[in-house]
Structure formats: structure tokens, C-alpha cells
Amino acid sequence: MNYQSTRNRQICVSSSQAIAEGICSDGGLFVPESFPTVSLSWLAALEPLDYRSRAEKVLSLYLTDFTPEEIRECVAGAYAGGKFSGSTPAPVVTLQSGVSFLELWHGPTCAFKDMALQLLPHLLTHALQKIHCGKDALILVATSGDTGKAALEGFRDVPHTRILVFYPQNGVSTMQERQMLTQEGKNVSVAAVQGNFDDTQTGVKKLFADAELCRKIGEFGCMFSSANSINWGRLLPQIVYYFSAWCDLVSAGRIKPGECVNFCVPTGNFGNILAAYYAKKMGLPIKRLICASNANNVLTQFLETGVYDRNRRFFKTISPSMDILVSSNLERLLFDLTYGDGGRVSAWMKQLTETGCYQVDGDMLEKIRHIFSAGFCSDGETKEEIGRIWREEHYLCDPHTAVASRVCREYRSKTGDRTPTVIVSTASPYKFAPDVLSAIAPEESTGGVFEAARRLSVLTGTPVPKPIAGLENKPVRFSRVCTKEKMTAAVLDAARKG
Ligand SMILES: *Cc1c(COP(=O)(O)O)cnc(C)c1O
């Protein structure tokens, strides 16, 4: 199977190249030339398998230039060896009321990005060998919080890789900063940038494009690579857990083999929900995909009206990983729904860059509305939802998951759709302990983040996850702060480190 660009069908590369390059030279994103489809008997054979074997089966449909042994090695490297707590990396938990949650946060950083970022380094190192580049990958990341830590943890001590994460100096939460600054590993570096997330991201884009810098790191045996959510190697691992969740529901007797389910996904960059769309396209019985947003509801408007308009106020919310106005992966959906019309996709993306806005036509909108529903909720409603689920069901969820739960309930009461629905749970409640604590016990005044986590644990009788409890006493390893202009020096130091 080969991969093409969303902006130009002439570009055609292997999966190894798509993963190693991350983004196409024309600015487009890599997508499979055609999608594999599976039958109900294929699904029936998937059902009795464990998560790792299910992952191998799904991945092998896409990574046709990898041998089965290589795929097995990558999957084992990601999901075996105690990196995920519990018996399976992505358990489905069904509450008394019949609502199910797909918990994707049992990995080392307690957010769903681990599902992909534990696997990507293994895919990438194999991909680099296959394209015979002979260099180590120097991964640059600009993060607004969760991605940076998950990428550091995924790439730590992976041979032939080095990773450098930049974050905005005052733009991440205390917990997130602590997670990054205490990161272990010989090949990792972290630097704060004086500025906001946009400055940081723009700075990293400039580094990638700096030809002189590329030459210099080449002398240290390195080439740049990216762990961004637009890399195909990050999207592919996410398709797996939709298959796995459906299989688990069949195994548990909650749905019949072949029966459809809905997924409701808390959405930011449109990566997670796009993976669900691809699973549906492949033949997984999915009826509707419900896209849940916070006050930054640019996607709600788009999926309901066909108008994408980023010219709006930006809100900082208690579900910060969804505080996004430009959802990069939406480009892949547009490409698919236009049957691969790279010209039209390029025109929309150009309009988005120039005016901040574009509109798709009525045909496209109809197709979108046939599959997607959308909704959003405020911070107040999110907290209410966390409190309600705790009181009524004794289930503790994080703010992102609560947004999805709220939007899902509204969808069901508005439409009367009674299809079994899975809410995708993207972070441990302990990662956002102060907000979760105040949602279930408004009278509690919180000290710091660790005190809030302890109170939450006492009040709910649930344990603080080890990766979070362990942070408090871990030594801080990094203290570099640089201006936008001095990011180059940090890159050269990281390249030298190998
Ligand atoms: C990144 C993230 C999201 C958004 O996922 P996308 O793939 O960007 O739509 C939602 N919840 C949490 C906790 C996240 O870290």
C-alpha cells in the first residue's frame, strides 16, 4: 500500500517514507491511496485476540512494507513490558446506566497520546532503516502540554533517536511542566521558550526549514523528524482501539456480532475522531461519530453548517487539550469526502491561511451530516457533568471525557438514538486533579496539584496513578529557557548529545 498527499495525488510513497517524513513536501498530509476493508468474519476472528494481536492484524493491513515480525516487534515494544497499567492498554468500562467508556489513559503519561506515541518510535526507527538514511532521527516537538511529555516518554532511550521538546514558558500547567522537566532518559532534552504556544510552534517550523541547521546536524549524524499528530505513524495506532473496543463489547455480550455502535470523541486536532472515521470506512460497524468540543467550538459549527471559521475569540478552558482553532487533521477528512480532490483541498487550505475561513458546498455538508453529529459545552457544564457521573455512577472522569459525556447525553435526548454508545475517555482525572476535585467537592480548597490529587484519592477511594504520584519527588533535570532566536543553540546541543 502506498501513500499520497492530500494536496497532490502525484506524490506516492511507501508507509516507511510517509512515517519518516511526517509531512509531505507540498504541505499536504499523507493518506493511504485506498483503504483496506474487512468482513464480519475477519472481525469475528479478531474478537478472541488480545490487544497486541488485534493491533498486529490492523497494522499489517497498512504497513505492507513491514514484515510480520517487524510489526510484532513494534507492537510488543509499545504495549508490553508494563508500560501500560492493568491487563490491557485500552479497557472498555461499562457503567450501571449502560454507557461505556473506552479508557485510553493507562499509559506512562496518563493521557491518550501514549496509545500512539508509545508505538511511533518503533515504527519510525524501522522506517528509517528501510529508507536507508543511515542517520539518527532528531525529533523536534512544540507542545502546549500533553504531546511533549508523551513524546519524551515514547522516545526515551530508543536507539537511533534523540528528542528535543520546546514548550511556552508560562503556557503549560504546573503538572505538565513538572512531567517534562523531570523526564528521564539519555537522549531527551527540554527547553522553555519565552513566548506563547504560537511563538514556540512557529519557532520549531523555522528550525525544520533551516537548511544550514539541517546541514550542521547532519555533521553530527542526525536528520530532523517529527512526532506531530499529523504523522501517519501517530494516526494509525489510533485506528486499532476502535476495533478493539467494538470486539470487547461483542465479547461482553453487550452487542451482537455485526451490530453498530456510536463513538463520542472529545476533539481538538481531529486526529482521534478521524481514526474512528477510518475504522468505519474499513467496515467496522459504526453508525455515528459524535464530535465533542469545549467553548472553542469551531468544529461544532463546521460539522453542522459547513463553514469553518477560525476568526473567533480563543478561550482557555479546563479541557486545555481541546483549546484549538485550527484542527489540522480535518484536511484528511476533506480529502476523503471529495474522493481525493487535492485541488479543492488545497484551495480551502489556502483560504484558511489567507482569510481564516472557508465553506464546503451542500453536497459535502450532506455527506458530513450523514456520519457526524457535533456538540459543545461550557466549563460550568463540564464540571456539572464530572459531579453528576461521580454522584450517580461512582465513576470519576477528567474534564475532556466529561465534555464528551455531556455532549453525548444531549445528542441522545435530542435525537432519541438508542444505539449503544462508547465515550472515548482521553485522560486520567488525576492529570487535572484541582478541577476534578472542585467539581465533585466544591467546598474543598485546593493547595497545589499534588495535594489536590491526594484529596481526590481520599474522597473517591481511587488510587493516584503511579506516574503522577511519583512526580512530586523526582529531581528536575532541565532548566533551559531560550528566546525564539536562541532555539537553534538548543538543537545543536541535542544533536551533539548522541
Ligand atoms: C490531545 C487530546 C485531545 C484531542 O485529541 P485530538 O486527536 O487532537 O482531537 C483530547 N483529550 C486529551 C486529554 C488530549 O490530550
Side-chain angles (χ1 to χ4, degrees), residues 111-113 146 238 266-272 321-322 398 400 426-427 432:
F112 96 96
K113 297 198 168 59
D146 286 340
Q238 300 186 312
T267 299
N269 224 353
F270 210 75
N272 204 353
S321 301
M322 292 148 67
D398 99 290
H400 303 77
T426 50
F432 302 93

Side-chain angles (χ1 to χ4, degrees), residues 83-373:
K83 290 200 171 142
F84 287 78
S85 64
S87 56
T88 174
V92 176
V93 173
T94 302
L95 307 185
Q96 211 93 79
S97 62
V99 186
S100 298
F101 289 80
L102 169 58
E103 294 183 347
L104 300 176
W105 41 264
H106 294 283
T109 78
C110 302
F112 96 96
K113 297 198 168 59
D114 289 329
M115 295 301 299
L117 278 164
Q118 283 296 314
L119 184 55
L120 176 68
H122 301 282
L123 298 177
L124 183 67
T125 45
H126 279 93
L128 290 172
Q129 274 166 21
K130 284 176 190 298
I131 62 170
H132 304 294
C133 88
K135 291 203 169 95
D136 284 5
L138 173 53
I139 317 288
L140 298 185
V141 179
T143 185
S144 58
D146 286 340
T147 301
K149 174 63 181 179
L152 286 164
E153 197 57 46
F155 280 95
R156 91 186 229 199
D157 295 330
V158 172
H160 303 298
T161 71
R162 305 163 206 190
I163 175 164
L164 169 57
V165 171
F166 291 104
Y167 70 94
Q169 191 179 13
N170 297 311
V172 300
S173 77
T174 313
M175 186 79 88
Q176 288 169 329
E177 184 172 48
R178 189 69 163 252
Q179 277 188 311
M180 291 190 279
L181 297 183
T182 57
Q183 177 65 45
E184 291 162 3
K186 286 195 271 300
N187 62 340
V188 303
S189 314
V190 179
V193 176
Q194 290 173 340
N196 60 24
F197 176 63
D198 277 332
D199 297 324
T200 311
Q201 175 142 291
T202 310
V204 166
K205 281 189 184 154
K206 276 194 190 138
L207 296 172
F208 276 123
D210 184 338
E212 175 61 13
L213 186 62
C214 289
R215 193 189 57 74
K216 276 193 193 151
I217 67 161
E219 287 171 9
F220 295 114
C222 292
M223 63 171 271
F224 283 135
S225 192
S226 151
N228 264 336
S229 76
I230 49 178
N231 191 317
W232 175 250
R234 266 192 68 181
L235 209 46
L236 179 55
Q238 300 186 312
I239 297 176
V240 175
Y241 49 71
Y242 289 101
F243 278 87
S244 182
W246 184 87
C247 288
D248 283 351
L249 290 175
V250 173
S251 301
R254 300 209 166 266
I255 56 172
K256 292 189 273 305
E259 191 178 342
C260 276
V261 298
N262 292 338
F263 283 101
C264 180
V265 188
T267 299
N269 224 353
F270 210 75
N272 204 353
I273 197 168
L274 181 73
Y277 171 79
Y278 285 157
K280 176 174 165 60
K281 198 174 156 68
M282 290 168 69
L284 186 67
I286 295 176
K287 189 167 148 204
R288 291 194 80 74
L289 296 173
I290 304 156
C291 175
S293 303
N294 60 28
N296 297 294
N297 56 3
V298 62
L299 283 168
T300 315
Q301 183 191 18
F302 175 71
L303 296 172
E304 284 184 344
T305 68
V307 176
Y308 196 99
D309 186 3
R310 64 156 298 178
N311 302 310
R312 60 178 68 218
R313 204 179 129 199
F314 175 80
F315 295 97
K316 263 177 101 84
T317 73
I318 60 167
S319 45
S321 301
M322 292 148 67
D323 292 347
I324 273 184
L325 292 181
V326 179
S327 301
S328 332
N329 270 304
L330 192 61
E331 180 168 344
R332 285 187 163 113
L333 178 72
L334 297 176
F335 184 78
D336 200 72
L337 293 175
T338 57
Y339 302 107
D341 189 341
R344 267 166 96 197
V345 174
S346 304
W348 286 322
M349 292 304 115
K350 186 156 173 270
Q351 261 185 306
L352 181 63
T353 310
E354 287 169 2
T355 68
C357 184
Y358 63 87
Q359 176 167 16
V360 300
D361 60 34
D363 267 10
M364 278 276 283
L365 181 58
E366 204 169 302
K367 276 192 229 166
I368 289 170
R369 296 190 56 153
H370 189 68
I371 300 167
F372 291 94
S373 293

